[in-house]
Amino acid sequence: EISRLSRPPWDGTMTDGPPEGKMQVEASGSQPGYSCCHKCLFSCCSILFLLSLLELVLASLVGLALAIVLSLLLLLITALYLVLLRKANEGNAPRCRLWFRLLVGILAAPLALLCILALGIHLQTFFNAAGWERFPENCPVRGCCRWSLRKASCREDQALPLLIANVTVEEVLEEIQTWVESNLYWPEHCIWVQPQAEEFSLQHGSAIIEGRAFLRASCSTSTWKFVDDIAWRLSDVTCGLSPGVLVEVHSQQRAGIDDGGHNMYRVRFSMSYLNETFPVMPFDEAC
C-alpha cells in the first residue's frame, strides 16, 4: 500500500520497454522464413531454366519444331518469374503483382513437366540403343511388333512373316534399303545400318529355311522424334518346287512400356511397300 502511494504518476511517456536484443529478434523473426521461401523458389526456377535450355539445345540438334517452341515458352516464363522473384525479394514489387506471379508459376508447371518428360525420353532413347547383332528372338516390351515364325506378336494385326516367290535375297535387301533411305509411304526419318550375315538352317513343315541376312535401321517418330529400332531377317526358302525369300520383321521402341501403335504401323508400311514391289503372300498360306 505504501509503495503504491509513493509511486509517481504516469506522465504519458514510455520510459521502459523490451530489451533491445528482443526487439531485434522479433523484428527479424519473420525475415528468415520469407527469404528462405524466396531462395527455394529462386532455386527451383533456376533449375527449370537450365532444364528448358538443355531441352532447347537437344530439340535444335534433333530438329523438332514442337519441342523448340515449348522450350522457348518455358525459358521466357521462367526468366520472367525469376525477375519477379528478385524484385519481390528487394521490396520493389507491389502487392498487386502477387496474382501475376501466381499465374506465371501456374503456367510454368505443366510446361516444365512436359519438357522434363520429353528430355528424359530423348536421353533414354539416346543411351538405350538396341545394339542387335542378330535378329531379336522375342518382344521384351508390350508395344513391340514382330512378324516372325517364332514368338510372333503385334497388336491388332497379323503376325505372320511374308514369302516372296522367285526373287533373291539381294533384290529384297535392295528394296528394303530403298524404303528406309527414301522414306517411301512413311513420314518417319530412318537411318540405314550396314546389313550383316546371319546363317542358320531349319525346317518348318514342308519348307526348308536357310538364313542369309540381318538388316537393321533406326527410325525417329514424326512428332516427338523419339528413336525406335526396326530389323529384318531374310532367308532362302524352298517350299515344294518354288524357291523364294522369307521376310521377318521386328520393330521395338527404346523407351516406355507402350508406343501408341508406331511399331505396328512401321512394320505394316514396310511390308506394304514390299507387297507393291513383289508378289508377296503370308508364309503359312504359301507352304
Side-chain angles (χ1 to χ4, degrees), residues 30-95:
S30 59
Q31 186 65 21
Y34 178 80
S35 61
C36 180
C37 178
H38 275 70
K39 285 180 181 178
C40 181
L41 287 175
F42 193 85
S43 300
C44 291
C45 287
S46 300
I47 293 173
L48 288 180
F49 185 85
L50 293 176
L51 286 175
S52 58
L53 185 61
L54 180 59
E55 175 68 19
L56 177 62
V57 173
L58 290 178
S60 301
L61 292 176
V62 174
L64 179 57
L66 180 58
I68 292 174
V69 172
L70 290 176
S71 302
L72 285 175
L73 285 176
L74 185 59
L75 274 174
L76 294 175
I77 290 175
T78 51
L80 178 60
Y81 200 65
L82 287 172
V83 172
L84 292 175
L85 283 176
R86 184 171 291 276
K87 287 186 176 182
N89 200 22
E90 294 174 355
N92 299 328
R95 295 180 62 86

Side-chain angles (χ1 to χ4, degrees), residues 198-214:
E198 182 175 346
E199 297 183 356
F200 65 92
S201 180
L202 61 89
Q203 185 169 355
H204 184 84
S206 61
I208 299 175
I209 303 172
E210 295 182 355
R212 289 290 179 259
F214 165 57

Side-chain angles (χ1 to χ4, degrees), residues 7 15 47 60 97 158 189 217-218 241 249 267 273 278:
R7 180 179 299 173
T15 56
I47 293 173
S60 301
R97 290 185 183 173
Q158 66 171 354
H189 173 69
S218 59
L241 299 177
V249 61
V267 168
Y273 173 73
F278 302 108

